[in-house]
Amino acid sequence: PLCLCRRTLYFTYVAAVLLTSTSSHLPDMMSFSTSSKVCRASRGVQVRANSVDIREEARRRAPPSKSELFNAKFLPFEHVASGQDMALCQESYSLDEVIYRSASGGLLDVQHDMDALKIYGPEYWKALFDERVGKTSWPYGSGVWSKKEWILPGIDDEDIVSMFEGNTNLFWAERYGRECLGMTDLWVKQCGNTHTGSFKDLGMTVLVSQVNRIRKKGLKSLSAVGCASTGDTSAALSAYCASAGIPSIVFLPADKISLAQLVQPIANGSLVLSIDTDFDGCMKLIREVTAEFPIYLANSLNSLRIEGQKTAAIEILQQFDWQVPDWVIIPGGNLGNVYAFYKGFKQAKDLGLTDKLPRMVCAQAANANPLYKAYVNGYENFEPVKAQSTFASAIQIGDPVSIDRAILALQDCDGVVEEATEEELLDAAARADRTGMFNCPHTGVALAALTKLREKGVISPSDRTVVVSTAHGLKFSQTKVDYHASEIEGITSQYANPPTKVKDDFGAIADVLRKHIN
């Protein structure tokens, strides 16, 4: 048994070296050699000539073996939801087409040729993805593009627009879990620890890369990329478009996003339109504009973004050594992220990398909770709501585009929907901050939902639970300042920690310190 174990580990190592170190491409599995010469040669090509940059390396790289078999296309979501064989669908579109809706007006979904992907077994994909993590080989060092074959298999490496996004850390919330919730295995996926400070980078790298491909190959005439945004989408879009030299246009609801969010697209050179409406109004307008002008729509109505966002789910599996957590809690507004996490977990399961799905929780702000209301009614009917103001501004959406996607995802994984009031979300974020985090209000919504589910006994003390933090707390510093100053009307700020004013006197300082220490 020990000899067999060592032999298995050896072959796994050789496979991993050949998978990425030689060219970071897919070799023919039958051509693996166990000779030391091959191993030494594969290590040798890691040396990079000083005059060759990582894009040039990608251009010189040989095409992946059997890569021509991997493909993806747009299919109507209604066909995907029906559970029918993809091959039976009579309606499909190339990813190079500029199209957002099916013939019936429904959403589209990116579907991969799973039979082609199954040519390689689960251990192969695990070794490939694990070997690429954290490297600088273009474009595989990105947490998104390290899984390129599962995302956009047909795009050329040189067309990819990446900032090496993804690969975000899992924060073990040891103290918060133990002291506040009585939990031993609580984690926070820090998706906000990325270039523009939110998970939106994961989807935007895919969408802007595809636009870059379309423009460079002259497939369609596209003058710009546009989006409606509550802040984070516009930041990601403007940054990636700026990197690629593509004009970007953003529609923002006036006076409804933080200054930190507003300044990001301004700094990156976007045309920023501040409109006297809410997000749903901006969304309606951008859809009208993109129908009339050669502007590519970048909102999650476009399912390309889902492909990038699903990689956060695959990363979670990688970080747990391909073990599936019991629960994943996701803040939900437009609900694309709920479906994205589901797609990532399901694709891993369908290709044999895992054997089950985690149960997912969609956490909504009570001031913008149409999915929660539908869930309480057993999904019998869905009615949009007029979203009220919430500090979790990115999920202040009353008519989510991805409602059908989210319901499918939650029903398939036996998921739950919970809500949080303004006070609950602010207190939950502040309480967790006191254990070493620095949470955005949206993460506060997820943490408040977790608290409620623990109190109800739905989530057990030993359940491995992942809370998805969608943005960096620094984007919402003014909210934190107002909370700790107890200046938010109607909020008691239970965990406020304002600065203590003290005289320029040693005795006065000593009195404060004694009281604090005691």
Side-chain angles (χ1 to χ4, degrees):
L2 182 58
C3 181
L4 179 60
C5 179
R6 285 175 176 168
R7 181 179 298 175
T8 301
L9 288 173
Y10 177 72
F11 274 94
T12 300
Y13 169 74
V14 173
V17 170
L18 288 171
L19 289 172
T20 303
S21 298
T22 57
S23 300
S24 292
H25 68 249
L26 294 169
D28 187 330
M29 289 296 286
M30 300 302 294
S31 68
F32 274 166
S33 169
T34 59
S35 72
S36 60
K37 289 182 180 179
V38 171
C39 291
R40 284 196 298 270
S42 67
R43 293 191 191 102
V45 297
Q46 287 183 328
V47 179
R48 179 178 297 144
N50 292 334
S51 60
V52 178
D53 64 27
I54 56 177
R55 279 191 183 274
E56 181 60 29
E57 283 185 346
R59 293 187 190 100
R60 297 180 182 182
R61 201 158 47 213
S65 173
K66 299 182 180 179
S67 62
E68 71 280 359
L69 300 178
F70 302 141
N71 66 87
K73 57 188 176 182
F74 289 126
L75 294 183
F77 173 75
E78 58 196 32
H79 183 90
V80 176
S82 71
Q84 299 179 52
D85 189 334
M86 298 299 106
L88 300 177
C89 185
Q90 300 299 308
E91 182 183 354
S92 66
Y93 306 92
S94 165
L95 299 186
D96 292 333
E97 293 192 49
V98 179
I99 186 168
Y100 315 111
R101 293 281 192 179
S102 68
S104 65
L107 296 174
L108 295 172
D109 199 56
V110 176
Q111 287 293 305
H112 294 260
D113 185 340
M114 297 296 283
D115 290 335
L117 292 173
K118 286 177 182 177
I119 291 173
Y120 298 99
E123 295 307 314
Y124 171 82
W125 291 116
K126 289 179 185 179
L128 178 66
F129 295 161
D130 288 346
E131 173 63 18
R132 287 172 172 175
V133 170
K135 303 296 174 62
T136 57
S137 177
W138 183 266
Y140 302 124
S142 157
V144 173
W145 297 108
S146 64
K147 300 150 187 72
K148 179 188 173 186
E149 295 78 19
W150 290 21
I151 311 302
L152 286 186
I155 195 169
D156 294 336
D157 289 345
E158 64 184 77
D159 292 336
I160 289 173
V161 183
S162 173
M163 299 180 185
F164 287 85
E165 53 288 310
N167 294 323
T168 55
N169 60 303
L170 266 176
F171 175 89
W172 181 28
E174 179 186 16
R175 184 184 166 204
Y176 179 75
R178 182 182 68 248
E179 296 182 5
C180 302
L181 300 171
M183 299 180 71
T184 57
D185 208 0
L186 175 62
W187 302 79
V188 179
K189 178 62 171 170
Q190 298 283 4
C191 292
N193 289 354
T194 186
H195 183 70
T196 72
S198 89
F199 78 94
K200 300 293 178 71
D201 291 359
L202 303 177
M204 208 56 73
T205 180
V206 176
L207 184 142
V208 175
S209 293
Q210 180 63 16
V211 171
N212 194 42
R213 165 187 164 84
I214 292 172
R215 282 166 55 96
K216 287 174 66 176
K217 296 188 182 304
L219 302 174
K220 296 287 181 180
S221 177
L222 294 174
S223 300
V225 187
C227 75
S229 179
T230 50
D232 292 334
T233 300
S234 64
L237 175 65
S238 60
Y240 281 86
C241 281
S243 178
I246 300 172
S248 60
I249 303 167
V250 299
F251 288 15
L252 298 176
D255 304 320
K256 291 182 175 65
I257 68 172
S258 74
L259 185 62
Q261 290 173 303
L262 175 61
V263 77
Q264 287 181 280
I266 290 174
N268 286 138
S270 289
L271 172 60
V272 178
L273 303 182
S274 181
I275 304 172
D276 186 19
T277 183
D278 58 10
F279 171 80
D280 296 316
C282 288
M283 189 68 219
K284 178 178 180 294
L285 290 167
I286 193 68
R287 287 168 65 178
E288 293 174 357
V289 167
T290 54
E292 294 294 328
F293 291 86
I295 299 172
Y296 196 81
L297 180 64
N299 284 95
S300 57
L301 176 67
N302 188 321
S303 56
L304 285 171
R305 278 178 46 195
I306 301 292
E307 294 305 291
Q309 290 167 206
K310 77 183 182 185
T311 60
I314 304 169
E315 277 186 13
I316 289 172
L317 297 174
Q318 281 184 279
Q319 290 166 315
F320 286 133
D321 197 21
W322 301 101
Q323 299 298 306
V324 181
D326 297 301
W327 293 91
V328 177
I329 305 176
I330 308 161
N334 221 14
L335 304 179
N337 219 20
V338 175
Y339 184 58
F341 272 81
Y342 166 76
K343 280 198 78 174
F345 289 128
K346 189 172 189 305
Q347 192 166 6
K349 178 176 178 292
D350 289 346
L351 290 173
L353 281 70
T354 60
D355 59 0
K356 65 177 182 178
L357 298 173
R359 295 186 69 185
M360 298 198 310
V361 178
C362 177
Q364 291 207 293
N367 283 0
N369 63 350
L371 179 62
Y372 174 76
K373 290 183 175 180
Y375 169 76
V376 171
N377 293 326
Y379 298 122
E380 290 186 4
N381 64 299
F382 169 78
E383 294 183 2
V385 302
K386 178 66 174 178
Q388 304 301 308
S389 178
T390 172
F391 286 99
S393 57
I395 57 175
Q396 187 178 313
I397 299 169
D399 190 10
V401 168
S402 294
I403 180 63
D404 294 332
R405 292 166 169 166
I407 291 175
L408 169 70
L410 291 166
Q411 288 181 325
D412 196 36
C413 71
D414 192 21
V416 175
V417 185
E418 189 54 85
E419 66 174 355
T421 66
E422 295 302 287
E423 185 151 31
E424 288 169 341
L425 71 89
L426 289 172
D427 281 343
R431 189 183 188 191
D433 286 353
R434 288 195 165 208
T435 66
M437 295 184 238
F438 195 73
N439 294 296
C440 69
H442 317 86
T443 308
V445 174
L447 292 170
L450 170 59
T451 301
K452 289 183 174 182
L453 294 174
R454 277 289 298 119
E455 291 171 349
K456 295 175 183 178
V458 176
I459 296 179
S460 300
S462 60
D463 284 349
R464 172 168 283 178
T465 302
V466 178
V467 171
V468 177
S469 178
T470 55
H472 201 291
L474 286 172
K475 284 192 168 190
F476 303 90
S477 56
Q478 189 59 50
T479 298
K480 291 185 179 292
V481 169
D482 293 343
Y483 177 91
H484 288 286
S486 299
E487 293 179 350
I488 302 176
E489 184 178 355
I491 303 296
T492 59
S493 298
Q494 181 180 353
Y495 300 98
N497 182 32
T500 300
K501 294 184 178 180
V502 62
K503 296 179 181 179
D504 181 13
D505 176 76
F506 174 80
I509 293 173
D511 289 341
V512 171
L513 292 177
R514 291 189 187 97
K515 185 182 297 184
H516 179 78
I517 293 172
N518 289 336

